[in-house]
Amino acid sequence: MKKATKKNDLRLNFDSIFRGKKIPILTLDEKWLSIFTEDNRNAKIRSLQADLNALLMRQGRLSGDIKGYKRIKAQFMQDIVENMEVDQSFFGKLKAKKLEKSQKKILEINERLEKAEEEEKELPNEIKRVNEELLKESIQICYGRISENSRKINELDEEISEMRIRLKKMILDKQDMEEENTLMYTYMHDTLGHQSMETLDRQEFRYADTESKMI
């Protein structure tokens, strides 16, 4: 019972949040598409997306059908006007048949038109419902990703802090070794003199070069 109450509370909260807001059709929204890319959608998102796109396509087809029905109906209405003068002559009987046929077609078209217009009136509510369901799922996924990203950000912050400490120690060690090298070289230079140091430097360079080749 508690789980059902939580779900109902969540639904009511969403309904309250959505009330009065003009929510764009998500599958046509560039920002939504940039977040929920083809490889970044779960099964529920894919299902709701497919349902929403199907409803939008149905809405487009109905709009075209209704325009078509009205256009054909207008043509039959024109035929009725042109064949209203019915008499017992041969042409009069032909007009009567055309008139009867046109009237029958108009009744059929009216039935189809009424059904299509009724469905067209209901579609916006269904589109709105599915669009909001898709938004609810999207919001929950976004908060899940934000939580996971925040956790990883904290981990990375810790790693960066440790690396900064390590880097700072490495820089200090490098400075200490450089200062030690300078101190030792200065001591030898002051003790032996410039010429002797040049000789030692050349010998040390050849020795180091020979060692590197042996390695």
Side-chain angles (χ1 to χ4, degrees):
M1 289 292 290
K2 288 183 179 179
K3 288 184 178 179
T5 302
K6 286 183 178 180
K7 285 184 178 179
N8 288 335
D9 289 344
L10 182 62
R11 180 182 61 79
L12 290 172
N13 288 338
F14 271 125
D15 290 344
S16 176
I17 290 167
F18 293 161
R19 190 177 297 118
K21 288 185 171 58
K22 189 176 180 181
I23 300 170
I25 300 298
L26 299 189
T27 56
L28 303 178
D29 185 73
E30 290 185 6
K31 290 182 180 178
W32 185 87
L33 291 169
S34 68
I35 295 171
F36 294 93
T37 58
E38 185 66 30
D39 299 327
N40 207 14
R41 301 169 191 160
N42 64 17
K44 189 171 182 179
I45 288 284
R46 290 179 186 277
S47 176
L48 288 168
Q49 182 185 16
D51 291 344
L52 184 56
N53 285 338
L55 287 169
L56 292 171
M57 289 177 66
R58 179 60 182 160
Q59 188 179 47
R61 283 197 296 268
L62 278 174
S63 178
D65 289 346
I66 289 169
K67 289 178 182 177
Y69 292 147
K70 288 181 177 180
R71 185 173 60 253
I72 295 170
K73 180 180 176 179
Q75 292 172 356
F76 282 119
M77 289 294 291
Q78 183 62 33
D79 287 343
I80 288 174
V81 171
E82 293 174 356
N83 293 284
M84 286 184 67
E85 296 179 4
V86 177
D87 54 36
Q88 295 302 313
S89 67
F90 175 77
F91 289 108
K93 290 179 180 179
L94 283 178
K95 286 183 178 182
K97 287 183 179 181
K98 286 183 179 181
L99 184 63
E100 184 181 356
K101 183 180 178 182
S102 295
Q103 289 172 337
K104 186 178 179 181
K105 287 293 183 181
I106 285 175
L107 289 174
E108 292 175 0
I109 289 170
N110 281 341
E111 188 177 342
R112 293 180 185 178
L113 183 59
E114 183 180 354
K115 186 178 179 182
E117 287 178 335
E118 188 65 31
E119 186 178 353
E120 188 185 43
K121 287 179 184 177
E122 294 173 357
L123 270 177
N125 289 333
E126 183 64 11
I127 288 171
K128 181 176 181 292
R129 184 190 69 78
V130 176
N131 194 51
E132 288 183 354
E133 284 296 320
L134 181 56
L135 182 57
K136 291 174 189 178
E137 182 68 16
S138 299
I139 288 171
Q140 291 175 358
I141 289 174
C142 283
Y143 270 109
R145 288 184 191 169
I146 288 170
S147 177
E148 179 64 14
N149 285 342
S150 297
R151 184 186 65 79
K152 289 180 179 179
I153 288 169
N154 289 334
E155 290 178 357
L156 288 171
D157 279 340
E158 291 178 6
E159 288 184 23
I160 290 169
S161 295
E162 291 174 1
M163 290 175 69
R164 282 177 177 162
I165 293 171
R166 187 181 169 211
L167 179 61
K168 186 175 181 180
K169 184 179 182 304
M170 289 170 68
I171 291 171
L172 291 173
D173 289 344
K174 174 177 173 288
Q175 290 174 345
D176 288 344
M177 287 184 282
E178 287 174 342
E179 289 176 3
E180 186 180 21
N181 281 353
T182 301
L183 180 64
M184 289 187 294
Y185 195 85
T186 301
Y187 163 74
M188 291 186 292
H189 189 277
D190 291 345
T191 302
L192 301 175
H194 179 71
Q195 188 172 357
S196 296
M197 284 304 297
E198 281 188 345
T199 302
L200 286 172
D201 285 343
R202 285 193 297 272
Q203 290 177 353
E204 182 63 25
F205 175 76
R206 285 197 299 271
Y207 176 73
D209 186 52
T210 302
E211 272 196 332
S212 65
K213 288 179 180 179
M214 289 176 65
I215 293 172

